[in-house]
Amino acid sequence: MATMVRLKSNIDEIVEKSYDLKNQAEIDRQQEYKASVCIQAWFRGTRVRSYVSYLNICAIAIQRKWRGFIGRKHYRVLVKNKVFIMKLNYYNAMVVKIQKVWKGYYVRKYVFNYHSRKRYLQGLQLKNETIRSELSDYAEQLAQSERTKKEQLEMMKAEIWSRKHHYLLSTFVQEGIYNNPYMMYQDPREYMLKLSKPMKYKKAVDTAEPYDPTCKSYSLPGPTVLPPIANKPQGPFGEPGDVQKQRYKQYQPTLRVATHYLSVEQAREKMKSEEWVARINDNIFVPFKKRHRPYESLLHTTSQYGHLPYGTHYFREEKIDKHVVQQNFKKLVPPIPIFEKLNDTYSQGQV
């Protein structure tokens, strides 16, 4: 009974102590839960990262094997093509050499025969000399005929002049203007006036109708008052006002003269200034980061045989050291049709 009474007296303390223990246990439980969650997160993260790293290693190995297989396959194709091209170029060079030798031999022996062509050119030279001599004679004849016509025309003009000016001939009473007593020799024009005859002029025939007494007058009555004299001068002249306007009109230069010599540079500077005024920011744009990557050479420009001068040096190789001779091969020309008639219509001295 005493124990019961003691417990009832300490019930508040017991209840408060039990609540404190309960709260402490709840706090410890939460800390333990957080610790277990942290341990589980670390363990699971470690396990997942190790698994992802393992998968990445496996993927890299697979990609390395596959890319190596594809690269070797592509490289074998490139080497095969390169060897084929080298063989083809070699065979083409041999074919060209054979064709060059054969065509030169054939042309020299059957197409361009030196002796036949020499005989033809000799005959052609004789024919050309004959034609040139005939042309020179014909040109001289034409020049002589032109000179004769010119002399006849001048003589005709001189005769007409002397006949028109026959009144200037000297007489016994009065000396003419072409007979100067102070000259040592007589003027040839005076001699021409003596040899010529005076010009005869035909009298004008009166075609007017004879006087008819039945008519009142021969013509219409003339004006009683003379017409006024115009201010405009006689001749091909314009109006005074138009002439003055044309004289004092404003200077109008052409487009080439009116345009400044540096107009293009000035327009460019003006465009730059207008663009600078409308610009928002004067600072040059610079990327915020820059990635440095090593240069990867292309497959079609590099090989195990060395660098290929594709697009940098030349496109068509020419190995001069492998030529048979150092002189360039002369191109063939098509046959001349006139050579086909050789020895058919040709004899010595004729073409």
Side-chain angles (χ1 to χ4, degrees):
M1 194 68 177
T3 303
M4 192 67 174
V5 172
R6 192 170 55 253
L7 289 173
K8 286 184 178 181
S9 61
N10 297 331
I11 190 168
D12 296 332
E13 184 178 356
I14 293 171
V15 170
E16 185 176 358
K17 190 175 181 180
S18 62
Y19 274 109
D20 293 339
L21 293 175
K22 177 179 174 298
N23 293 334
Q24 186 65 30
E26 185 67 21
I27 292 171
D28 295 340
R29 187 184 67 80
Q30 291 180 359
Q31 291 180 355
E32 292 175 357
Y33 176 76
K34 291 181 179 179
S36 62
V37 167
C38 184
I39 293 171
Q40 290 178 0
W42 172 81
F43 176 74
R44 292 175 181 176
T46 304
R47 185 176 62 181
V48 170
R49 281 190 295 273
S50 62
Y51 183 67
V52 170
S53 176
Y54 173 73
L55 292 179
N56 190 16
I57 293 172
C58 294
I60 290 172
I62 294 170
Q63 291 178 358
R64 182 172 63 250
K65 298 292 184 181
W66 172 252
R67 291 175 180 175
F69 170 74
I70 295 298
R72 287 188 294 273
K73 183 179 179 181
H74 186 64
Y75 181 74
R76 284 194 293 271
V77 173
L78 291 177
V79 172
K80 185 178 179 180
N81 294 337
K82 182 65 177 179
V83 172
F84 176 75
I85 292 172
M86 292 173 64
K87 291 182 179 180
L88 186 62
N89 293 335
Y90 177 76
Y91 295 151
N92 289 337
M94 295 298 104
V95 169
V96 169
K97 186 181 296 183
I98 295 170
Q99 290 179 355
K100 179 172 63 176
V101 175
W102 166 250
K103 289 179 180 179
Y105 168 76
Y106 181 80
V107 168
R108 286 190 297 270
K109 187 170 183 180
Y110 297 103
V111 179
F112 295 103
N113 193 340
Y114 171 74
H115 300 286
S116 299
R117 182 161 182 168
K118 183 178 179 181
R119 290 194 300 269
Y120 168 76
L121 292 177
Q122 288 176 354
L124 187 62
Q125 186 177 5
L126 295 175
K127 187 67 175 179
N128 289 339
E129 291 176 357
T130 305
I131 293 175
R132 287 173 66 89
S133 62
E134 293 177 357
L135 288 176
S136 61
D137 296 340
Y138 180 68
E140 187 176 356
Q141 292 177 4
L142 290 179
Q144 183 64 28
S145 61
E146 289 293 333
R147 288 195 296 269
T148 305
K149 289 181 181 179
K150 190 175 181 180
E151 290 176 359
Q152 292 178 358
L153 183 61
E154 290 179 355
M155 291 176 62
M156 188 181 298
K157 290 182 178 179
E159 184 179 359
I160 294 173
W161 178 86
S162 61
R163 293 186 66 184
K164 285 184 177 180
H165 298 79
H166 190 270
Y167 61 89
L168 298 176
L169 181 63
S170 300
T171 61
F172 292 101
V173 179
Q174 182 69 31
E175 298 291 340
I177 60 175
Y178 298 113
N179 190 12
N180 191 354
Y182 300 102
M183 294 181 62
M184 297 179 61
Y185 302 99
Q186 189 179 9
D187 196 332
R189 287 176 287 186
E190 181 70 18
Y191 182 73
M192 290 173 58
L193 291 175
K194 289 181 180 180
L195 297 178
S196 62
K197 296 181 180 180
M199 182 71 72
K200 294 182 179 180
Y201 297 95
K202 295 182 180 180
K203 294 183 179 180
V205 180
D206 188 9
T207 57
E209 296 180 358
Y211 174 73
D212 190 0
T214 59
C215 298
K216 295 182 178 179
S217 61
Y218 292 99
S219 61
L220 295 176
T224 57
V225 181
L226 296 176
I229 299 175
N231 296 326
K232 180 181 177 181
Q234 186 178 5
F237 305 106
E239 296 293 337
D242 298 340
V243 174
Q244 186 177 9
K245 184 178 180 181
Q246 178 70 18
R247 182 176 180 182
Y248 295 103
K249 70 177 182 179
Q250 189 177 2
Y251 176 67
Q252 297 177 357
T254 60
L255 181 61
R256 182 176 180 180
V257 176
T259 307
H260 195 270
Y261 184 75
L262 301 175
S263 58
V264 178
E265 288 76 3
Q266 294 177 359
R268 187 178 290 109
E269 294 295 334
K270 183 179 180 182
M271 183 179 64
K272 288 182 179 180
S273 62
E274 292 178 356
E275 191 270 337
W276 177 79
V277 171
R279 193 185 302 166
I280 299 176
N281 188 9
D282 291 339
N283 298 328
I284 301 175
F285 176 75
V286 179
F288 56 91
K289 65 179 181 179
K290 185 177 181 181
R291 182 182 179 184
H292 295 279
R293 295 180 60 183
Y295 175 74
E296 297 179 0
S297 58
L298 302 179
L299 293 177
H300 67 275
T301 57
T302 56
S303 65
Q304 63 178 356
Y305 304 104
H307 180 70
L308 301 177
Y310 180 80
T312 57
H313 191 192
Y314 46 77
F315 290 92
R316 182 175 180 180
E317 295 189 36
E318 184 178 1
K319 299 179 180 179
I320 303 177
D321 55 344
K322 293 186 177 181
H323 289 181
V324 179
V325 293
Q326 296 299 329
Q327 297 179 355
N328 294 330
F329 178 67
K330 296 182 180 180
K331 298 182 179 178
L332 299 180
V333 297
I336 301 175
I338 195 170
F339 288 164
E340 298 178 358
K341 301 179 181 180
L342 193 63
N343 298 328
D344 293 339
T345 61
Y346 172 78
S347 62
Q348 186 68 24
Q350 297 181 1
V351 178

